[in-house]
Amino acid sequence: MFPETAQCLKAVAPLFSQTVLLKDLSRLSTYGGGSHFQARRHLSISRCLTAKVRPVRTLRERVEIPGLEAVTYGEKMHYVPGLSKPFQPQWERSYKDPGHYRSPPAHEMPLFKDSSCFVFNQRTSALEGVLQALWLTKTKLIPSLPPQLLSLSENPANQIPDQDERVQNAIKHARFWDSTEERPGKERYSNTMMVNLLHLCATLQSSHPAIGRRIQAEKCSLATKWKRGEDLFQIRGQNGLLHTCMDPLPEVSGKQEVSDTADHVLETFYPVSPTINLQKVNVYKEEINCSGFRDDYPYPHAHTLFFLEGADANCKLRPDQFRAKMLMFTFGNALVRAQKLYGPQRVLDRPVTVQAVGTNGRIFQFMVFQLNTTDLSGDEGIKNQVWLDEDVELYDFAKVRPLIKKKQVKVPAGLAGYKPGAFSKFLSLYLHGAV
Amino acid sequence: MAARTRLPLLFPKNLPPFRNQRLAHTEAAVKEPAYPPIIPSLTAKSKSARGRQVDEQVQKICASPVEEKLSLITRIQRMKFVVYPQTFARNADTWYQHFTKTAYIPGLPEKYTLSPERETGGEEEQPAAAQTTVPGVGHDGFTEIRSLVTRVILQEHWQLRNRAPFLYRKQEQTVGPFLRNLVTGLTFSLAKYNPLFLSSSLDIDPNVHFYWRRGQTIIPKGHRRGRQEPTRFQIDDRPNSQIRITEQLPQFISLEDSYAAEVQEVTLSPSVMPLFRRQYDNNMFTGAKLPDPACYGHTQFHLVPDRYHRDRMSRLQQSDQVEVFLRANALTSLFAWTGAQAMYQGFWNHEDVTRPFVSQAVITDGKFFSFFCYQLNTVALSVETDANNPRKNLLWGTESLRLYDSVQDGEVVGLNDDVLKLLVQFLMNKQ
């Protein structure tokens, strides 16, 4: 079956675009199959999709003996039996053609280093999830949001008029009313939901002018590094939606709590190494510290990061891994800022605070990260802190048709089970620093 | 003699003398009709029967609630011309004006003035300050907005690093986020001056659909050959972003004043334009479904894609089509939006709008901004209803105005205050 499908695909391949070819490739790969053909990827411009891997023929080594040069048929310009084949050096183009470029092997690249570096990017799925992220960032976890933050939204001056009704309208718009289809897909509705909720929060700008000192940025690339023990770690990737502010966020925990974290012991998960699932590279830039903006950016302080589970179609993260990704990127943003302001490897006098919100359209994860130290080489000393509120549901069900079991309506159509607590937490995170 | 003159056989001697005089003080007796009124049949194979079927359908639609109305109007799928707001066709705006019965008026309505307002009576106190104020915003507010816009421009073009745009996707990847940032920033800064925005809804990348019939053609081939068929049109639009509000914007001019406007007629068939026909779901959509409370439109923002960017058009020697493209885009997008808004209120072909529907649009390619206002005065565009309909829809529009010259060394060079003022005035439009 496999050679036939390869043949059909080869015949049909010119009609499809490159992306479709790669999708078919993943389908055809021997995942769970018993075929002894291992499909090899042809990531080139030419149209061949898959090919049977031919056994590698090791060429007989050509030995050059100085006194005994072989007589070749090169000068005769035609093959003569008995004479040896002339040596032809590999032809290289004199100009640069990006379509036919072979990159040099890793050890010949200019940025090659002997010691490897572990990179966390936006598609990394850490095996141990939040525990691994806590170890990598030398952080102590506090399993709920800080109380002073929650009290922000209980103050009636900070609430939106008709808050519940408007939030429910926002949810219904995202889940039901956004497009002509009956139900928009998950990617679309989670994005629309986030935009709608942010729109609602931002209407408070008329009463809280400090909200006007923020701006949003999409798709800025973060890159920073830190050392942990003998290993070098880097975090690189696109953040998702980032809200930056002209003023830094106030610190959440006082000096006493910060010094108490020195007694906390980081949890290890022996025998699994903390560097599991991280991309190991030998070609990297040693000194890298880039927040995605230039140095004279008027909004340098990262305020909140917004993560969507469905943003990357090729990368489906489980909830724990998603939270780990949130934690790592929040830490990365805080680290970039701290390293720019204070330099590397020291305990910070003024901690840097960054927030993050992650969602899949219904369930929210709220996170407040406080970077107390950039001295991450040892396991002792002051640790960073993170307040994490996991799996906060905004509503129970948003069904287009009611769920009926045994002629009884179990879940009615429309929005069911709205919980106002989730939006209050969202609002308090939004207003933090602006009140 | 009796036979020739058709007199009765028995000729009465006295003809009743007072035949023509009615008795003054009695009323004529009202006779109940003995038989029901004679109306055409419903099921016969005749033109009058067909006419009666159409009338019954129209009455059924008029009598039903809005949701049912929409589904009854858009129920049957037939081949229709798909009108693209962003099109490569030459002189598309003339064609689209004919399809939508819209008159184009260059310039903007009196509400929006480009020239600085001078105080009456010859006093010129601080003309510089008068030039930079927008009514309702104030000098400080305007400087704040100016600095916000500067920062947004700089963020996109100067501050943000690590972005090499793909070929022909530069607009989508650079100017798209810039426009979104600009819209969100401006909307919330102006929310304190324009309370409509506090209850508004901002859509990113929404869908707008509209379906209508205009004119008729003769079916050339098939079993219905030779008969008249209405030409159907459909618009499917995707603006970059739009603001929807809960209350309607006030009209620019009254319905009666639109009678004087002239619409350019095009006698050729739409397929000459070129316009192509397809058959699929007939949709009418403002950006959100019927139950949404924000059912009226305020402003749409459109992005000029790389394909129609003025640099590429000048390379193809079609620089004159740049403005035409912008006008055609604004016309169709706004007609579709206002038409869908009118449909959501229950107005349709046979029940024309009782109040005008008003919306605005800003079309930009990053540097050049064009502003358009649209007033929908009539939805009755099909053959039966258009015969005695003097109303016309109106589109006001500007040429493309440059917002800034360039970005150099972290500075925006040549920011045009007039354009900014116009943008702010546009967003300040309220009841």
Side-chain angles (χ1 to χ4, degrees):
Chain A
M1 187 215 110
F2 184 79
E4 281 169 39
T5 46
Q7 242 175 348
C8 304
L9 278 162
K10 265 194 222 166
V12 166
L15 300 173
F16 292 118
S17 64
Q18 195 103 28
T19 47
V20 175
L21 291 175
L22 290 173
K23 273 189 210 158
D24 287 332
L25 180 63
S26 58
R27 186 164 46 88
L28 282 175
S29 65
T30 57
Y31 187 70
S35 167
H36 57 282
F37 293 118
Q38 288 284 339
R40 184 172 54 176
R41 294 183 176 206
H42 284 241
L43 298 173
S44 60
I45 297 177
S46 57
R47 288 296 180 183
C48 178
L49 176 66
T50 52
K52 172 181 164 185
V53 172
R54 300 196 172 194
V56 175
R57 236 187 254 170
T58 47
L59 293 169
R60 199 174 51 181
E61 201 192 303
R62 200 188 177 90
V63 178
E64 298 279 345
I65 304 169
L68 286 174
E69 273 111 15
V71 180
T72 66
Y73 55 78
E75 284 163 6
K76 282 198 171 266
M77 304 293 271
H78 63 92
Y79 174 69
V80 171
L83 296 185
S84 67
K85 194 168 175 183
F87 170 68
Q88 274 138 7
Q90 190 79 351
W91 174 73
E92 280 177 13
R93 278 184 183 81
S94 52
Y95 57 92
K96 186 182 163 193
D97 184 2
H100 298 94
Y101 171 70
R102 286 199 90 103
S103 53
H107 55 265
E108 283 173 27
M109 292 215 184
L111 291 175
F112 177 78
K113 316 227 172 4
D114 290 317
S115 57
S116 56
C117 171
F118 296 97
V119 176
F120 190 99
N121 54 39
Q122 70 253 35
R123 286 195 189 173
T124 306
S125 168
L127 179 72
E128 292 290 323
V130 177
L131 281 178
Q132 186 174 356
L134 289 173
W135 191 94
L136 286 172
T137 57
K138 199 173 162 190
T139 312
K140 177 181 172 190
L141 172 72
I142 300 146
S144 65
L145 283 180
Q148 69 259 37
L149 215 61
L150 294 172
S151 62
L152 277 178
S153 59
E154 273 147 38
N155 186 356
N158 294 341
Q159 284 175 7
I160 304 166
D162 292 329
Q163 186 169 305
D164 284 337
E165 198 194 311
R166 293 196 66 192
V167 174
Q168 285 178 316
N169 273 342
I171 301 171
K172 282 182 202 168
H173 174 256
R175 285 305 300 257
F176 306 125
W177 304 332
D178 193 29
S179 73
T180 46
E181 315 147 22
E182 253 191 8
R183 62 189 95 205
K186 190 164 188 176
E187 239 185 78
R188 194 177 161 101
Y189 79 63
S190 51
N191 203 11
T192 322
M193 175 96 69
M194 189 68 91
V195 166
N196 285 350
L197 293 178
L198 281 172
H199 180 81
L200 272 182
C201 295
T203 50
L204 282 174
Q205 190 174 334
S206 35
S207 49
H208 298 75
I211 297 178
R213 296 168 66 80
R214 294 190 202 161
I215 204 171
Q216 71 180 36
E218 300 165 27
K219 292 199 182 161
C220 45
S221 309
L222 174 74
T224 182
K225 66 141 182 49
W226 71 100
K227 223 169 155 62
R228 191 100 171 82
E230 283 106 28
D231 303 317
L232 194 59
F233 292 93
Q234 278 191 10
I235 180 162
R236 299 222 212 127
Q238 287 191 342
N239 275 334
L241 191 63
L242 171 66
H243 272 221
T244 45
C245 188
M246 287 188 195
D247 323 306
L249 272 172
E251 51 189 66
V252 178
S253 69
K255 293 248 185 260
Q256 183 56 38
E257 282 180 46
V258 167
S259 45
D260 284 344
T261 57
D263 308 325
H264 173 77
V265 174
L266 288 174
E267 211 177 309
T268 52
F269 24 89
Y270 184 83
V272 174
S273 155
T275 57
I276 196 170
N277 284 129
L278 295 181
Q279 185 188 10
K280 189 169 169 185
V281 290
N282 281 83
V283 177
Y284 56 91
K285 264 194 200 165
E286 189 76 62
E287 291 301 321
I288 184 165
N289 199 43
C290 166
S291 64
F293 305 100
R294 285 183 205 255
D295 288 330
D296 54 348
Y297 190 44
Y299 305 85
H301 303 270
H303 187 273
T304 320
L305 285 159
F306 295 93
F307 292 91
L308 290 171
E309 261 183 49
D312 200 344
N314 297 331
C315 174
K316 285 196 189 112
L317 293 172
R318 291 192 298 277
D320 207 23
Q321 277 69 31
F322 181 62
R323 272 173 250 140
K325 173 181 162 182
M326 278 169 65
L327 180 54
M328 292 301 294
F329 274 97
T330 334
F331 165 76
N333 273 297
L335 190 66
V336 163
R337 192 78 205 128
Q339 281 180 346
K340 277 217 170 103
L341 282 178
Y342 306 114
Q345 302 285 324
R346 40 178 291 184
V347 179
L348 303 174
D349 306 318
R350 240 182 272 166
V352 176
T353 318
V354 183
Q355 300 173 149
V357 177
T359 178
N360 74 345
R362 187 175 79 90
I363 302 180
F364 282 77
Q365 336 273 349
F366 299 108
M367 177 185 291
V368 181
F369 183 88
Q370 181 169 313
L371 187 76
N372 298 321
T373 169
T374 49
D375 179 16
L376 302 164
S377 30
D379 280 347
E380 302 80 29
I382 295 187
K383 318 257 180 328
N384 306 315
Q385 290 164 297
V386 69
W387 291 260
L388 177 60
D389 205 347
E390 324 184 320
D391 290 339
V392 183
E393 290 179 351
L394 185 57
Y395 53 91
D396 279 332
F397 297 98
K399 284 191 139 353
V400 171
R401 290 205 310 240
L403 179 67
I404 299 179
K405 291 265 185 204
K406 294 190 183 170
K407 298 192 186 172
Q408 280 184 340
V409 177
K410 298 286 179 197
V411 180
L415 187 64
Y418 166 68
K419 296 184 177 66
F423 184 71
S424 335
K425 290 182 187 166
F426 189 93
L427 188 60
S428 41
L429 278 190
Y430 189 86
L431 287 173
H432 188 209
V435 172
Chain B
M1 189 188 87
R4 271 201 312 227
T5 54
R6 296 182 68 183
L7 288 169
L9 278 173
L10 294 171
F11 200 83
K13 282 199 183 154
N14 303 318
L15 290 169
F18 303 110
R19 196 163 40 160
N20 287 331
Q21 293 175 21
R22 310 243 168 198
L23 297 165
H25 298 286
T26 56
E27 289 163 6
V30 172
K31 276 192 191 166
E32 290 265 341
Y35 302 100
I38 301 171
I39 44 176
S41 148
L42 201 54
T43 50
K45 198 178 167 188
S46 66
K47 282 187 207 157
S48 47
R50 184 80 195 109
R52 189 173 156 216
Q53 284 169 9
V54 169
D55 284 335
E56 297 261 305
Q57 179 72 0
V58 166
Q59 274 161 32
K60 181 177 164 195
I61 296 178
C62 290
S64 42
V66 182
E67 269 210 43
E68 265 192 58
K69 248 191 222 184
L70 283 178
S71 68
L72 282 170
I73 293 168
T74 55
R75 190 171 62 96
I76 300 179
Q77 287 185 13
R78 294 266 183 257
M79 291 291 275
K80 58 191 176 181
F81 286 104
V82 182
V83 174
Y84 289 97
Q86 297 184 330
T87 172
F88 55 84
R90 291 187 64 89
N91 300 326
D93 61 339
T94 336
W95 289 89
Y96 289 163
Q97 279 175 42
H98 171 65
F99 296 150
T100 60
K101 203 179 178 190
T102 312
Y104 173 67
I105 304 169
L108 289 176
E110 297 93 30
K111 225 173 165 177
Y112 304 118
T113 43
L114 270 180
S115 58
E117 296 160 11
R118 299 256 164 221
E119 289 167 14
T120 54
E123 307 172 74
E124 292 195 348
E125 299 171 6
Q126 301 171 346
Q131 273 173 23
T132 50
T133 46
V134 176
V137 174
H139 189 60
D140 295 329
F142 188 74
T143 33
E144 258 184 59
I145 288 166
R146 192 171 190 277
S147 46
L148 169 73
V149 170
T150 325
R151 273 176 263 139
V152 173
I153 296 173
L154 281 176
Q155 182 201 26
E156 210 46 55
H157 294 276
W158 178 252
Q159 301 284 358
L160 221 49
R161 303 169 68 176
N162 310 327
R163 261 206 224 165
F166 293 159
L167 189 65
Y168 280 141
R169 284 178 68 176
K170 181 165 171 264
Q171 292 286 97
E172 182 195 317
Q173 288 185 341
T174 332
V175 186
F178 157 66
L179 191 59
R180 278 196 285 274
N181 253 343
L182 191 68
V183 170
T184 39
L186 278 179
T187 318
F188 299 126
S189 330
L190 290 172
K192 57 177 178 273
Y193 304 110
N194 190 350
L196 272 183
F197 287 157
L198 291 174
S199 55
S200 67
S201 181
L202 181 69
D203 298 331
I204 306 284
D205 204 20
N207 284 314
V208 174
H209 302 289
F210 191 58
Y211 168 79
W212 79 104
R213 290 177 301 159
R214 173 125 170 102
Q216 56 186 6
T217 54
I218 299 175
I219 303 174
K221 211 162 156 49
H223 67 279
R224 294 176 65 212
R225 181 190 154 148
R227 299 189 182 103
Q228 298 278 1
E229 187 197 42
T231 22
R232 292 164 284 264
F233 297 91
Q234 168 88 35
I235 296 179
D236 299 319
D237 189 22
R238 285 203 87 136
N240 181 275
S241 46
Q242 68 184 20
I243 304 173
R244 276 178 300 115
I245 47 179
T246 43
E247 292 163 9
Q248 202 172 344
L249 285 176
Q251 61 188 27
F252 289 122
I253 60 175
S254 64
L255 281 175
E256 289 74 32
D257 291 341
S258 71
Y259 296 177
E262 279 179 18
V263 176
Q264 291 183 323
E265 296 271 333
V266 177
T267 45
L268 299 169
S269 155
S271 38
V272 175
M273 190 194 147
L275 214 55
F276 301 99
R277 300 201 305 161
R278 267 191 290 152
Q279 178 175 321
Y280 56 98
D281 262 336
N282 306 323
N283 290 321
M284 307 245 214
F285 195 62
T286 56
K289 288 191 184 140
L290 262 175
D292 196 308
C295 48
Y296 298 105
H298 191 276
T299 318
Q300 269 185 346
F301 292 85
H302 293 266
L303 188 61
V304 173
D306 288 278
R307 192 176 169 190
Y308 303 106
H309 193 69
R310 52 188 63 223
D311 297 335
R312 182 172 179 267
M313 300 289 256
S314 64
R315 260 188 290 141
L316 301 172
Q317 276 108 41
Q318 287 193 11
S319 299
D320 54 327
Q321 294 293 312
V322 170
E323 298 294 327
V324 167
F325 165 83
L326 295 170
R327 277 202 292 272
N329 191 359
L331 211 151
T332 33
S333 306
L334 284 173
F335 173 73
W337 206 23
T338 45
Q341 288 169 43
M343 287 283 179
Y344 275 21
Q345 300 306 311
F347 300 112
W348 62 295
N349 206 2
H350 288 264
E351 281 178 321
D352 210 354
V353 294
T354 48
R355 57 186 193 274
F357 283 79
V358 163
S359 289
Q360 303 170 142
V362 178
I363 307 187
T364 172
D365 68 350
K367 253 195 204 170
F368 289 87
F369 281 69
S370 327
F371 301 88
F372 296 91
C373 305
Y374 195 89
Q375 177 163 324
L376 183 85
N377 295 320
T378 172
V379 192
L381 297 172
S382 70
V383 180
E384 317 81 62
T385 46
D386 194 31
N388 293 328
N389 188 7
R391 299 185 194 175
K392 295 168 183 81
N393 303 322
L394 298 165
L395 172 74
W396 288 267
T398 61
E399 304 275 312
S400 38
L401 307 160
R402 193 191 274 269
L403 180 66
Y404 63 94
D405 285 327
S406 62
V407 175
Q408 276 170 12
D409 295 332
E411 291 282 325
V412 175
V413 175
L415 187 67
N416 191 347
D417 275 345
D418 285 335
V419 176
L420 210 52
K421 203 178 117 183
L422 199 51
L423 185 59
V424 171
Q425 274 183 321
F426 246 58
L427 285 173
M428 283 291 295
N429 192 4
K430 58 184 174 201
Q431 272 293 351

